Amino acid sequence: MEPVRIPALERDFALDVFKRLHVMEMKPGFAEATAGRSPGELYKMAKTMLGLPDTSMKDYIDAEQAVERLRDGYAEYFKNFDVLLTHVLPIPAHKHGVTEFVINGQKVDATYLQGATVPLNVTGLPGISMRFGTSKEGMPINVQLVGSWLAESTICTSRHCSKA
Protein backbone atom coordinates (compact mmCIF):
# COMPACT_ATOMS: atom_id res chain seq x y z
CA MET A 1 0.00 0.00 0.00
CA GLU A 2 1.24 3.48 -0.85
CA PRO A 3 -0.23 6.98 -0.85
CA VAL A 4 -1.22 8.20 -4.31
CA ARG A 5 -2.56 11.33 -5.95
CA ILE A 6 -5.28 11.46 -8.54
CA PRO A 7 -4.80 14.96 -9.98
CA ALA A 8 -8.27 15.02 -11.56
CA LEU A 9 -9.78 14.93 -8.05
CA GLU A 10 -7.74 18.00 -7.16
CA ARG A 11 -8.83 19.86 -10.29
CA ASP A 12 -12.55 19.03 -10.21
CA PHE A 13 -14.28 18.85 -6.82
CA ALA A 14 -16.72 16.00 -7.44
CA LEU A 15 -19.33 17.32 -5.01
CA ASP A 16 -19.59 20.55 -6.99
CA VAL A 17 -19.76 18.55 -10.23
CA PHE A 18 -22.52 16.39 -8.74
CA LYS A 19 -24.56 19.43 -7.74
CA ARG A 20 -24.28 21.03 -11.17
CA LEU A 21 -25.28 17.80 -12.91
CA HIS A 22 -28.11 16.69 -10.70
CA VAL A 23 -29.84 19.86 -9.59
CA MET A 24 -31.91 19.98 -12.78
CA GLU A 25 -32.78 16.29 -12.47
CA MET A 26 -33.57 16.28 -8.76
CA LYS A 27 -35.09 19.71 -8.15
CA PRO A 28 -38.45 18.99 -9.86
CA GLY A 29 -38.87 15.81 -7.80
CA PHE A 30 -38.07 17.62 -4.57
CA ALA A 31 -40.51 20.41 -5.51
CA GLU A 32 -43.28 17.87 -6.18
CA ALA A 33 -42.61 15.86 -3.03
CA THR A 34 -42.54 18.92 -0.79
CA ALA A 35 -45.41 20.90 -2.37
CA GLY A 36 -47.56 22.55 0.28
CA ARG A 37 -44.98 22.11 3.06
CA SER A 38 -43.50 25.00 5.00
CA PRO A 39 -39.71 25.42 4.86
CA GLY A 40 -39.53 24.42 8.54
CA GLU A 41 -40.93 20.99 7.70
CA LEU A 42 -38.33 20.21 5.06
CA TYR A 43 -35.24 18.08 5.54
CA LYS A 44 -31.98 19.91 4.96
CA MET A 45 -31.24 18.15 1.66
CA ALA A 46 -34.62 19.17 0.24
CA LYS A 47 -34.14 22.78 1.37
CA THR A 48 -30.65 22.83 -0.09
CA MET A 49 -31.72 21.36 -3.42
CA LEU A 50 -34.71 23.68 -3.78
CA GLY A 51 -32.54 26.68 -2.87
CA LEU A 52 -29.87 25.99 -5.50
CA PRO A 53 -30.00 28.05 -8.67
CA ASP A 54 -30.86 26.24 -11.86
CA THR A 55 -27.82 24.94 -13.70
CA SER A 56 -27.15 26.81 -16.92
CA MET A 57 -26.46 24.79 -20.05
CA LYS A 58 -22.86 26.03 -20.03
CA ASP A 59 -22.37 24.87 -16.41
CA TYR A 60 -24.02 21.54 -17.18
CA ILE A 61 -21.68 20.95 -20.13
CA ASP A 62 -18.70 22.02 -18.00
CA ALA A 63 -19.79 19.52 -15.34
CA GLU A 64 -20.09 16.73 -17.92
CA GLN A 65 -16.56 17.54 -19.09
CA ALA A 66 -15.38 17.46 -15.47
CA VAL A 67 -16.87 13.97 -15.12
CA GLU A 68 -14.87 12.86 -18.15
CA ARG A 69 -11.69 14.30 -16.60
CA LEU A 70 -12.47 12.43 -13.37
CA ARG A 71 -13.05 9.21 -15.30
CA ASP A 72 -9.77 9.73 -17.15
CA GLY A 73 -7.98 10.33 -13.85
CA TYR A 74 -9.32 7.13 -12.34
CA ALA A 75 -8.58 5.21 -15.56
CA GLU A 76 -4.96 6.36 -15.32
CA TYR A 77 -4.82 5.25 -11.69
CA PHE A 78 -6.28 1.81 -12.49
CA LYS A 79 -3.60 1.21 -15.13
CA ASN A 80 -1.18 0.71 -12.23
CA PHE A 81 -3.37 -0.46 -9.35
CA ASP A 82 -6.24 -2.91 -8.92
CA VAL A 83 -7.92 -1.28 -5.92
CA LEU A 84 -8.10 2.16 -4.34
CA LEU A 85 -8.43 2.27 -0.55
CA THR A 86 -9.80 5.55 0.74
CA HIS A 87 -11.80 6.95 3.62
CA VAL A 88 -15.57 7.19 3.51
CA LEU A 89 -15.66 10.34 5.63
CA PRO A 90 -12.75 12.65 6.43
CA ILE A 91 -13.69 12.25 10.10
CA PRO A 92 -15.10 9.41 12.23
CA ALA A 93 -18.86 8.96 12.10
CA HIS A 94 -20.76 11.67 13.95
CA LYS A 95 -23.97 12.02 15.86
CA HIS A 96 -27.14 12.87 13.91
CA GLY A 97 -28.12 16.49 13.50
CA VAL A 98 -24.63 17.98 13.27
CA THR A 99 -24.64 20.46 10.38
CA GLU A 100 -21.11 21.92 10.47
CA PHE A 101 -17.69 20.47 11.11
CA VAL A 102 -14.15 21.74 11.44
CA ILE A 103 -11.79 19.84 9.16
CA ASN A 104 -8.15 20.86 8.89
CA GLY A 105 -9.02 24.10 10.69
CA GLN A 106 -11.77 25.01 8.21
CA LYS A 107 -15.49 25.12 9.03
CA VAL A 108 -17.42 23.06 6.45
CA ASP A 109 -21.05 22.18 5.83
CA ALA A 110 -22.12 18.58 6.41
CA THR A 111 -22.47 18.00 2.66
CA TYR A 112 -18.68 18.38 2.39
CA LEU A 113 -18.36 14.99 4.10
CA GLN A 114 -19.57 13.27 0.92
CA GLY A 115 -16.38 14.29 -0.89
CA ALA A 116 -14.91 10.77 -0.96
CA THR A 117 -18.04 8.95 -2.08
CA VAL A 118 -19.51 11.35 -4.65
CA PRO A 119 -16.67 10.78 -7.16
CA LEU A 120 -17.86 7.18 -7.39
CA ASN A 121 -21.42 8.36 -8.02
CA VAL A 122 -20.50 10.65 -10.90
CA THR A 123 -17.99 8.28 -12.53
CA GLY A 124 -19.84 4.99 -12.03
CA LEU A 125 -16.98 3.27 -10.24
CA PRO A 126 -17.85 0.33 -7.98
CA GLY A 127 -17.07 0.76 -4.31
CA ILE A 128 -17.73 -1.03 -1.07
CA SER A 129 -17.61 0.50 2.39
CA MET A 130 -16.56 -1.44 5.47
CA ARG A 131 -15.82 -0.73 9.09
CA PHE A 132 -12.12 -0.23 9.72
CA GLY A 133 -12.07 0.77 13.35
CA THR A 134 -13.64 2.80 16.14
CA SER A 135 -12.92 6.34 17.28
CA LYS A 136 -12.06 7.13 20.89
CA GLU A 137 -15.69 8.34 21.18
CA GLY A 138 -16.91 4.88 20.14
CA MET A 139 -18.02 5.93 16.67
CA PRO A 140 -17.26 3.79 13.61
CA ILE A 141 -14.49 4.66 11.19
CA ASN A 142 -15.09 3.27 7.70
CA VAL A 143 -12.96 2.86 4.60
CA GLN A 144 -14.02 2.12 1.07
CA LEU A 145 -12.48 -0.13 -1.51
CA VAL A 146 -12.88 1.16 -5.05
CA GLY A 147 -12.39 -0.93 -8.15
CA SER A 148 -12.25 -0.17 -11.82
CA TRP A 149 -15.29 -0.29 -14.08
CA LEU A 150 -16.60 -3.83 -14.66
CA ALA A 151 -14.09 -5.15 -12.12
CA GLU A 152 -16.30 -5.56 -9.08
CA SER A 153 -14.68 -8.92 -8.39
CA THR A 154 -11.50 -7.12 -7.27
CA ILE A 155 -13.37 -5.59 -4.33
CA CYS A 156 -16.28 -7.94 -3.88
CA THR A 157 -15.43 -11.42 -2.73
CA SER A 158 -17.76 -14.11 -1.41
CA ARG A 159 -16.79 -13.00 2.08
CA HIS A 160 -18.00 -9.42 1.53
CA CYS A 161 -20.79 -9.73 -1.04
CA SER A 162 -23.42 -12.18 -2.10
CA LYS A 163 -25.30 -12.60 -5.35
CA ALA A 164 -28.87 -11.44 -5.45
Side-chain angles (χ1 to χ4, degrees), residues 7-109:
L9 289 170
E10 297 166 14
R11 177 174 180 198
D12 295 298
F13 185 50
L15 188 56
D16 181 49
V17 173
F18 178 84
K19 286 179 187 175
R20 287 185 286 150
L21 286 177
H22 295 293
V23 70
M24 298 309 289
E25 295 172 7
M26 296 169 61
K27 199 172 183 179
F30 276 102
E32 183 180 332
T34 60
R37 304 265 184 193
S38 71
E41 294 178 283
L42 302 183
Y43 181 68
K44 180 179 168 94
M45 179 63 180
K47 280 193 251 187
T48 299
M49 184 58 64
L50 293 170
L52 290 172
D54 289 350
T55 303
S56 70
M57 184 56 73
K58 179 191 179 315
D59 284 346
Y60 186 86
I61 291 168
D62 288 346
E64 283 289 347
Q65 291 171 340
V67 168
E68 288 306 313
R69 288 190 297 271
L70 291 167
R71 286 184 181 132
D72 289 347
Y74 280 113
E76 190 64 32
Y77 171 85
F78 285 115
K79 285 181 184 176
N80 300 310
F81 302 98
D82 294 327
V83 174
L84 174 64
L85 173 68
T86 184
H87 63 276
V88 173
L89 298 174
I91 59 174
H94 54 85
K95 296 188 184 281
H96 291 283
V98 180
T99 59
E100 292 183 335
F101 300 88
V102 176
I103 299 177
N104 296 328
Q106 181 182 4
K107 188 185 280 189
V108 297
D109 183 86

Side-chain angles (χ1 to χ4, degrees), residues 131-151:
R131 190 174 182 137
F132 183 73
T134 305
S135 71
K136 63 183 177 187
E137 294 84 18
M139 301 300 281
I141 299 172
N142 287 3
V143 296
Q144 61 185 351
L145 295 175
V146 181
S148 187
W149 298 274
L150 304 175

